[in-house]
Amino acid sequence: MHILPILPYAYDALEPHIDARTMEIHHTKHHQTYVDKLNTGLEGTEYEEQSLEELLQSVAILPDDLKALVKNHWWGHYNHSLFWQMMSPDTTQTSDKLLSLIKSSFGSFDAFKQLFADKALSNFGSGWTRLIQRYDELEIVNTPNQENPIMKWDHVLLWIDLREHAYYLKHQQKRADYLASRWNVVNRIFVSSRVR
Ligand code: MN
């Protein structure tokens, strides 16, 4: 049985960058729905008692009838569970190691932010934009819907939800404004801790 994780901060903690109502709906409605549908889909199967991490390791050997469940609700649950931790209301610092990877990969932190925004704006429709690490190189990639690159790429450090439910109430169609706001609440300690 999977459960909705408790947020490490209050719904209004990320104001004014991310509004409380958006956070509450995103967490209690959207994320809860992924959890509920995942539980319903796994009920009565041998995967019912597995943790999210165990489930992710058996993606490749899943029977066909569970593949769609994975692509949507299971990854949706996993994406969001980490997404909440990738944000913080506190002022957090990027580690020296991550900073130097960013500089060697993109030239500067500002160049990285610009590239990330450009990539996110080019992600048509719903999906996520992700900062990935491959050995000593960083790359920014787009993925559609809830698809998770865990099977395709080496390691993801940061991901940002681009579905309109993540920003529509405050920013409407202006994804660029949402992205600019998001940088103010990135949990740089958490993201830095994911560097290998
Ligand atoms: Mn979402």
Side-chain angles (χ1 to χ4, degrees):
M1 183 92 165
H2 295 273
I3 54 164
L4 186 71
I6 294 166
L7 292 195
Y9 39 75
Y11 290 129
D12 63 358
L14 305 178
E15 293 264 15
H17 312 296
I18 310 286
D19 64 285
R21 186 80 181 122
T22 295
M23 287 299 296
E24 186 175 359
I25 295 171
H26 201 170
H27 184 239
T28 63
K29 306 291 182 204
H30 294 282
H31 191 169
Q32 183 72 61
T33 301
Y34 295 122
V35 173
D36 292 346
K37 293 200 168 164
L38 179 60
N39 284 329
T40 305
L42 292 175
E43 209 176 329
T45 74
E46 63 187 289
Y47 304 99
E48 191 172 2
E49 300 300 323
Q50 290 194 353
S51 70
L52 207 54
E53 284 70 26
E54 288 171 322
L55 284 169
L56 285 164
Q57 284 172 11
S58 44
V59 167
I61 55 158
L62 272 184
D64 284 347
D65 59 344
L66 290 180
K67 287 262 162 69
L69 185 74
V70 172
K71 267 189 106 172
N72 300 320
H73 309 299
W74 172 333
W75 280 346
H77 179 29
Y78 184 79
N79 283 330
H80 287 85
S81 295
L82 280 171
F83 178 61
W84 307 127
Q85 297 181 60
M86 289 172 178
M87 296 189 277
S88 170
D90 304 325
T91 303
T92 53
Q93 295 291 325
T94 309
S95 71
D96 290 344
K97 188 173 178 190
L98 178 53
L99 263 184
S100 93
L101 284 174
I102 286 172
K103 281 178 186 155
S104 61
S105 302
F106 307 111
S108 69
F109 198 87
D110 283 344
F112 155 62
K113 274 168 66 175
Q114 187 60 51
L115 268 171
F116 197 99
D118 292 347
K119 195 81 183 173
L121 290 172
S122 75
N123 196 344
F124 186 76
S126 291
W128 298 71
T129 295
R130 308 180 191 255
L131 174 66
I132 67 162
Q133 180 183 8
R134 190 177 288 141
Y135 302 103
D136 283 339
E137 201 151 339
L138 303 183
E139 201 180 317
I140 300 163
V141 299
N142 283 335
T143 54
N145 303 313
Q146 293 304 331
E147 210 163 288
N148 191 294
I150 209 160
M151 305 301 290
K152 294 183 193 161
W153 293 296
D154 293 347
H155 192 59
V156 187
L157 304 180
L158 168 70
W159 56 59
I160 291 186
D161 193 349
L162 298 177
R163 278 193 71 175
E164 283 185 340
H165 68 219
Y167 61 89
Y168 198 84
L169 288 181
K170 183 177 171 73
H171 298 292
Q172 292 82 48
Q173 83 286 3
K174 293 171 287 205
R175 185 182 280 181
D177 289 0
Y178 159 64
L179 289 164
S181 280
R182 283 286 284 107
W183 287 111
N184 297 306
V185 295
V186 170
N187 186 338
R188 293 162 196 244
I189 294 172
F190 182 78
V191 175
S192 296
S193 76
R194 293 177 62 79
V195 174
R196 286 179 169 166

